[in-house]
Amino acid sequence: MNSGTTLTPRSNIREDKFDSAPPAHWSEMGEVEHFVQFYEDDAFLFDSVGEFIGSGLGGGHGALVLATAAHIEVLEERLQKQGIDVAAVKASGQLVLIEAATALAEFMVNDLPDPKRFRTVIGEKVEKLSANGRSLRAFGEMVALLWEEGNREGALQLEQLWNEMATSHSFALFCAYPMRCFQTEAQSESFFHICQQHTRVIPSESYAAKSNDDERLRAIALLQQKAAALENEIAERKRVEEELRRTNEELTAFFENATIGLHWVREDGTIKWANKAEYELLGYTKEEYLGRSIRDVHVDEPAIGDILNRLSCGETLKDYEARLRCKDGSVKHVLINSNVLWDGDRFIHTQCFTRDITEQKKAEQELREAKDKLTLANEELERRVAERTARLEETVAELEAFSYSLSHDMRSPLRAMHAHASALIEDCHAKLSDSEIGSLERIRRASSRLDALIRDVLAYSKVSQGQIHLQPIDLSTLVDDVILEQFHDSRAHISIERPLLPVSGHESYVTQCITNLLGNALKFVARGAVPQVQVRTKLIGNEVRVEVQDHGIGIRPEHRERIFQLFGRVYSEKDYEGTGIGLCIVRKAILRMGGEIGFTSEPGKGTLFWFSLPAA
């Protein structure tokens, strides 16, 4: 083996076509090689390394081993079993054993091999062991140590330095990497670069152990199939990972931007994660909120203690009402839905949904206060109503007493005055002068008028106070009875447009209304004219409209507002007798029965009075 032999990486060597599977053992390598063995088990590796170094020592070659202390110990045992006196070859300088970590420490600078130091530390030993044309076999684990530490750049540069040293020194270098260093797809490119730095590559024992070319070819085909399947699996995994990544991003964005508050709490009560709605609800920034104890934001200590205890026991909370303290000290009312994410029996974190009900609670409080105020107002109103009712009842009692007095105590003297005046006129007519008779006539007329006024006032009072019991009323019969009883000797002409529709009302009130309206129609006519009156009914919707039409003097516009008022006379008593209460009684009676009343009139042409009541 000449010192000028050049060691060239496999990537630069032209390969001839061959029909058999490639060699897969160090013994099939040349004397000047930089080859790499990938292995799965340490025992297999040191079977190969032991034979490689042992056969070299047995053939008089120099040997350089750069390995871990444990592997050096195993190697010495293997050499000893091969019949090699390890102590002797070490003493003679034929075998040099160096711990790989110690060697690395001498030439590594900032995690990279320094070329000058490498040539000094390693180059001197290579030169000494290959002096005088002696062949050299070297085994190195320094690159494997760097690779397993994650220093891939350092390992590749160290491989290059070995190749550069091979341009000036002849040796066979055996490198080894455990297959566990290349288990992921991301390491495929690095694996390729490692292979590129060596003249030959020896696969792991699962391939190298094949006894013939056919078995190795089958293994290659199987590996090709596995590689193709793995590529497909990798592509599918990438697609799934991309979908998962996109889904995760979508879910993260959804939860982060949800309008309801979300947070996770660790078993010790610290806030692990929260979305924007959660920490903005309480006025915090994300940095201020995360890592804070959930107890800091709960107003009621017993409540948070109860929440954490119930969740730790595996309970699920639904609409749990609580109060949270904001950063500015204000309080938010919330409803919490929460449970725990478990990994078997291990507490991972709580999953909490927080819904703000502050405005709802405020509205409820305002409603309660309004109800309280309303209750107080109602109580005050009831008190006042009770007081006024009592006063009203007292007044009604007084009015009833007054009515009784009017009806009995006051009318009796009036009747006596009227009777005595009438008796004097009849019994003493011949003895009295005309002036005395005139005075007695005025007393009699005045007493009659006052008695009529009292009767009308009593009638109005009765209509205002009486009980209302509505019932079907046959208007045809009622009108006939009124005419017969009240106006049978009248010279007026009263016509009835039959049929008169029945109504629902109070019979005595309806009788009072018909009597008063017919009396007015017959009274307010021009001097000497014969009264003409028509009575008719009309159905309007669910109501019956009763009309009393006359052709009398009519009502002037300036009197329209007074005719329904109490004592609302518009004509002199000398012209037309009356108390001015009749129409007021009619209006009160109709309104108390739930009806309406009105009139139309044209002076000199007559008046149409009408009232409406529910149809029977």
Side-chain angles (χ1 to χ4, degrees), residues 235-247:
E236 177 63 16
R237 186 182 66 185
K238 285 183 176 180
R239 185 189 66 78
V240 172
E241 287 177 349
E242 177 60 23
E243 288 185 0
L244 288 175
R245 182 194 62 78
R246 186 169 59 253
T247 301

Side-chain angles (χ1 to χ4, degrees), residues 44 51-53 94 127 174 188 212-213 217 268 283 321 323 342 366 399 401 499 535 587 597 601-602:
F44 169 80
E51 293 177 8
F52 175 68
I53 297 298
Q94 185 182 0
E127 186 173 352
F174 187 149
S188 298
N212 56 57
D213 288 351
L217 287 171
D268 63 0
E321 191 168 331
R323 296 188 301 159
W342 299 91
E366 291 176 350
L399 287 174
V535 180
R587 181 176 181 275
I597 186 169
S601 182
E602 186 175 350

Side-chain angles (χ1 to χ4, degrees), residues 251-265 271-282 286 289-290 294 324 335-338 349-356:
L251 288 174
T252 299
F254 175 78
F255 287 122
E256 285 287 353
N257 296 293
T259 56
I260 190 172
L262 306 172
H263 66 274
W264 298 342
V265 176
I271 300 169
K272 178 180 179 181
W273 171 86
N275 70 344
K276 186 177 180 182
E278 172 79 15
Y279 52 78
E280 286 189 349
L281 169 67
L282 303 178
K286 185 175 183 179
Y289 196 62
L290 300 187
I294 195 65
L324 303 182
L335 289 180
I336 294 173
N337 290 321
S338 182
H349 57 246
T350 67
Q351 303 171 119
C352 301
F353 296 77
T354 306
R355 180 157 57 91
D356 184 11

Side-chain angles (χ1 to χ4, degrees), residues 126-390:
V126 169
E127 186 173 352
K128 184 176 182 180
L129 286 168
S130 60
N132 302 319
R134 185 169 61 180
S135 295
L136 172 62
R137 292 187 176 185
F139 170 70
E141 281 191 300
M142 296 186 296
V143 287
L145 287 181
L146 292 175
W147 197 269
E148 288 199 278
E149 290 173 359
N151 188 357
R152 299 175 184 176
E153 182 62 27
L156 289 172
Q157 287 194 22
L158 184 55
E159 294 280 15
Q160 292 173 0
L161 290 176
W162 276 111
N163 286 333
E164 290 175 5
M165 186 176 290
T167 62
S168 57
H169 298 80
S170 297
F171 54 85
L173 176 61
F174 187 149
C175 292
Y177 289 85
M179 285 300 291
R180 63 177 177 270
C181 293
F182 309 97
Q183 296 295 319
T184 66
E185 182 206 358
Q187 295 165 327
S188 298
E189 186 176 355
S190 300
F191 183 84
F192 175 77
H193 288 317
I194 290 293
C195 294
Q196 290 289 90
Q197 296 299 320
H198 297 82
T199 57
R200 294 184 186 274
V201 177
I202 302 177
S204 67
E205 56 267 36
S206 59
Y207 173 83
K210 305 299 180 183
S211 59
N212 56 57
D213 288 351
D214 286 341
E215 289 184 358
R216 286 195 289 271
L217 287 171
R218 289 190 185 94
I220 290 172
L222 180 60
L223 290 173
Q224 287 175 331
Q225 183 274 327
K226 287 182 177 180
L230 180 60
E231 286 182 358
N232 290 333
E233 288 180 7
I234 289 171
E236 177 63 16
R237 186 182 66 185
K238 285 183 176 180
R239 185 189 66 78
V240 172
E241 287 177 349
E242 177 60 23
E243 288 185 0
L244 288 175
R245 182 194 62 78
R246 186 169 59 253
T247 301
N248 185 60
E249 289 178 352
E250 292 172 353
L251 288 174
T252 299
F254 175 78
F255 287 122
E256 285 287 353
N257 296 293
T259 56
I260 190 172
L262 306 172
H263 66 274
W264 298 342
V265 176
R266 296 186 178 90
E267 190 171 15
D268 63 0
T270 57
I271 300 169
K272 178 180 179 181
W273 171 86
N275 70 344
K276 186 177 180 182
E278 172 79 15
Y279 52 78
E280 286 189 349
L281 169 67
L282 303 178
Y284 289 97
T285 63
K286 185 175 183 179
E287 293 72 19
E288 292 171 334
Y289 196 62
L290 300 187
R292 180 181 295 271
S293 172
I294 195 65
R295 297 178 185 274
D296 293 345
V297 298
H298 271 264
V299 174
D300 306 306
E301 176 62 28
I304 185 57
D306 179 56
I307 289 172
L308 294 176
N309 180 60
R310 289 167 67 176
L311 290 175
S312 297
C313 293
E315 187 174 342
T316 295
L317 303 182
K318 292 187 179 297
D319 291 338
Y320 189 104
E321 191 168 331
R323 296 188 301 159
L324 303 182
R325 182 179 292 106
C326 301
K327 182 181 177 181
D328 62 7
S330 60
V331 174
K332 295 286 187 181
H333 293 265
V334 298
L335 289 180
I336 294 173
N337 290 321
S338 182
N339 60 4
V340 173
L341 177 64
W342 299 91
D343 182 7
D345 294 333
R346 187 168 67 91
F347 186 112
I348 304 299
H349 57 246
T350 67
Q351 303 171 119
C352 301
F353 296 77
T354 306
R355 180 157 57 91
D356 184 11
I357 59 168
T358 304
E359 291 303 317
Q360 176 183 328
K361 296 294 287 186
K362 182 179 178 181
E364 289 174 356
Q365 179 61 28
E366 291 176 350
L367 180 59
R368 283 194 296 271
E369 292 175 356
K371 285 182 177 179
D372 291 342
K373 291 180 180 179
L374 182 59
T375 300
L376 293 175
N378 284 337
E379 291 173 354
E380 176 64 17
L381 180 60
E382 289 174 359
R383 185 187 65 79
R384 293 183 180 181
V385 168
E387 290 178 355
R388 292 182 181 180
T389 300

Side-chain angles (χ1 to χ4, degrees), residues 419-609:
H420 285 296
S422 296
L424 284 173
I425 293 173
E426 291 177 3
D427 297 341
C428 302
H429 187 275
K431 299 177 183 180
L432 297 174
S433 65
D434 291 340
S435 63
E436 289 172 336
I437 293 173
S439 295
L440 290 172
E441 287 289 349
R442 284 194 293 275
I443 291 173
R444 189 167 61 174
R445 287 196 301 273
S447 62
S448 295
R449 286 198 304 274
L450 185 55
D451 186 60
L453 182 60
I454 291 173
R455 287 198 308 272
D456 285 348
V457 169
L458 288 173
Y460 182 79
S461 176
K462 184 177 179 181
V463 169
S464 298
Q465 300 175 33
Q467 293 294 322
I468 295 295
H469 298 290
L470 303 183
Q471 59 186 15
I473 297 173
D474 182 354
L475 276 184
S476 293
T477 301
L478 186 146
V479 171
D480 288 345
D481 290 345
V482 168
I483 294 173
L484 180 62
E485 294 173 6
Q486 302 291 333
F487 308 107
H488 65 280
D489 57 354
S490 172
R491 62 188 181 88
H493 183 269
I494 301 175
S495 64
I496 301 173
E497 295 184 14
R498 300 182 188 277
L500 296 179
L501 301 174
V503 298
S504 180
H506 189 281
E507 186 170 0
S508 63
Y509 288 178
V510 176
T511 301
Q512 184 82 50
C513 293
I514 294 294
T515 300
N516 288 5
L517 290 177
L518 284 175
N520 276 7
L522 297 176
K523 180 170 56 175
F524 292 102
V525 294
R527 295 288 183 182
V530 177
Q532 301 287 330
V533 181
Q534 292 86 39
V535 180
R536 55 182 173 267
T537 59
K538 295 179 180 178
L539 183 64
I540 303 176
N542 294 325
E543 294 186 338
V544 172
R545 179 163 166 163
V546 182
E547 298 180 348
V548 178
Q549 173 77 59
D550 67 51
H551 299 280
I553 62 175
I555 301 171
R556 293 197 294 269
E558 62 269 23
H559 296 153
R560 291 176 182 271
E561 298 297 326
R562 296 189 58 197
I563 62 171
F564 287 125
Q565 295 178 2
L566 193 63
F567 307 114
R569 292 184 58 85
V570 295
Y571 295 106
S572 170
E573 188 178 351
K574 294 180 180 180
D575 297 326
Y576 299 99
E577 294 181 357
T579 61
I581 301 177
L583 287 176
C584 186
I585 292 173
V586 173
R587 181 176 181 275
K588 174 63 72 175
I590 295 300
L591 293 180
R592 292 209 65 199
M593 289 186 289
E596 295 181 352
I597 186 169
F599 71 92
T600 58
S601 182
E602 186 175 350
K605 294 185 178 181
T607 302
L608 168 66
F609 276 96

